[in-house]
Amino acid sequence: MTSSAEDVYLFHLGPQKSATTWIYECLKDHPEITTSKKDSIHYYDMLYHRGLEWYRNQFEKGAGSVYYDPTPSYIRSPWAPERIARDYPHARLVFSVREPIARAFSHYWQERKKSRLDYRFEEVLDIYDLYANWVEPGFYAKHIKRFMEHFPREQILVQNFDRYETEPRAVIRELFEFAGIDPVFVPGTLEQKVNVSKERQTQGQRAFKKRLKELGLMPSASRIKRLLVALGVVSEGFSRKEKEHLEDVDCEVIRELRLVFEPEIRELESLTGLDLSD
């Protein structure tokens, strides 16, 4: 796919678990948007070596002259700001800022439900890999300032995640206006929730339930629990939700995270003019 000098590139830079999938679905509905085939391209942080022609071919063929790249991991990339500015100096950049502890916990739970790890959220301050994955994306001021080194303020839109729930129409209209497309259009997914974190099941649980269904022996949840425990597939307490709710997290960990994030939130208020007192 080729693009012209008049084409606009719009980037949603994240971070993850701040309604980026919902925004992607809303923008995908808009007739003036040509979006990517999936909701993350990762060109400017992981696949830059593949070249600009490869990148442009990741977009669906369409009539829209606004090309939309929704890759939420760009916010953390040390290379993405300069690379995007080099290729598209007039690009428009969107950030979603969510209360950072809630965002970190939601990110953690997403990994848990996919059975990618067995850590507890409380370990986030003890293991740097967890800290880098769940805490550092919430350093919004630090990340946005890196992009401001390459783009003027008028090309950057920062939206408060809370508004997506309280006034979705207004916030999507604001985003459409920023992108230079028809702001009156109402996407079909406006009132829908997408990519919501759910309770995690282990690989053993999923495989066992699948086999029971195949044999036509799918019993009640309580009988499944007894069977799994008897077979040694899971422990006695497997059915309890494993720290699914933020209020279950050790209050000392929450207190320490607040101390970590508070200076960043204050700087973000100064940087953007947003009221983030909540």
Side-chain angles (χ1 to χ4, degrees), residues 190-208:
L190 185 67
E191 302 295 338
Q192 297 179 15
K193 290 187 177 181
V194 297
N195 201 27
V196 179
S197 295
K198 299 178 182 178
E199 183 178 356
R200 171 182 178 264
Q201 288 187 333
T202 67
Q203 186 176 359
Q205 291 174 44
R206 290 196 299 271
F208 189 71

Side-chain angles (χ1 to χ4, degrees), residues 100 138-142 145 256-271 276:
F139 294 159
Y140 307 126
K142 172 184 175 182
K145 282 171 68 176
E256 291 187 40
L257 285 172
R258 284 177 180 155
L259 293 175
V260 168
F261 282 123
E262 185 176 0
E264 274 283 323
I265 294 171
R266 293 184 182 279
E267 186 173 5
L268 183 63
E269 282 189 314
S270 176
L271 195 64
L276 302 174

Side-chain angles (χ1 to χ4, degrees), residues 7-150:
D7 290 332
V8 173
Y9 275 78
L10 175 69
F11 294 84
H12 198 291
L13 303 158
Q16 292 164 279
K17 307 309 296 180
S18 58
T20 52
T21 302
W22 176 76
I23 293 169
Y24 168 74
E25 294 295 336
C26 286
L27 281 166
K28 189 168 67 172
D29 280 353
H30 202 293
E32 295 178 67
I33 290 285
T34 298
T35 192
S36 57
K37 300 170 185 176
K38 56 183 181 178
D39 63 355
S40 290
I41 301 178
H42 290 295
Y43 176 65
Y44 285 102
D45 58 354
M46 296 171 60
L47 303 172
Y48 198 61
H49 61 281
R50 296 189 177 182
L52 201 54
E53 183 177 356
W54 176 90
Y55 175 65
R56 289 172 175 165
N57 284 330
Q58 301 314 298
F59 294 90
E60 300 278 12
K61 296 188 185 331
S65 61
V66 176
Y67 291 80
Y68 176 56
D69 179 346
T71 305
S73 57
Y74 285 163
I75 191 172
R76 289 188 285 164
S77 169
W79 310 291
E82 183 178 0
R83 288 172 173 176
I84 295 173
R86 184 187 308 136
D87 291 341
Y88 301 109
H90 302 294
R92 300 174 191 183
L93 315 178
V94 182
F95 297 88
S96 299
V97 294
R98 178 181 182 181
E99 195 286 311
I101 299 176
R103 193 223 68 83
F105 184 80
S106 182
H107 197 169
Y108 150 79
W109 192 254
Q110 182 181 47
E111 299 298 309
R112 286 292 306 231
K113 75 174 184 177
K114 293 179 180 178
S115 301
R116 290 178 176 171
L117 47 82
D118 291 316
Y119 295 105
R120 293 289 187 179
F121 186 72
E122 282 84 349
E123 297 176 271
V124 71
L125 293 172
D126 299 322
I127 303 172
Y128 178 70
D129 280 353
L130 307 184
Y131 184 89
N133 279 307
W134 303 334
V135 175
E136 289 186 355
F139 294 159
Y140 307 126
K142 172 184 175 182
H143 299 313
I144 292 172
K145 282 171 68 176
R146 284 189 292 103
F147 282 88
M148 285 183 170
E149 293 175 4
H150 300 275

Side-chain angles (χ1 to χ4, degrees), residues 105 108 121-122 243 245-254 257:
F105 184 80
Y108 150 79
F121 186 72
E122 282 84 349
K243 301 296 185 187
H245 304 291
L246 186 56
E247 57 264 29
D248 293 329
V249 175
D250 186 280
C251 60
E252 180 62 23
V253 173
I254 298 298
L257 285 172

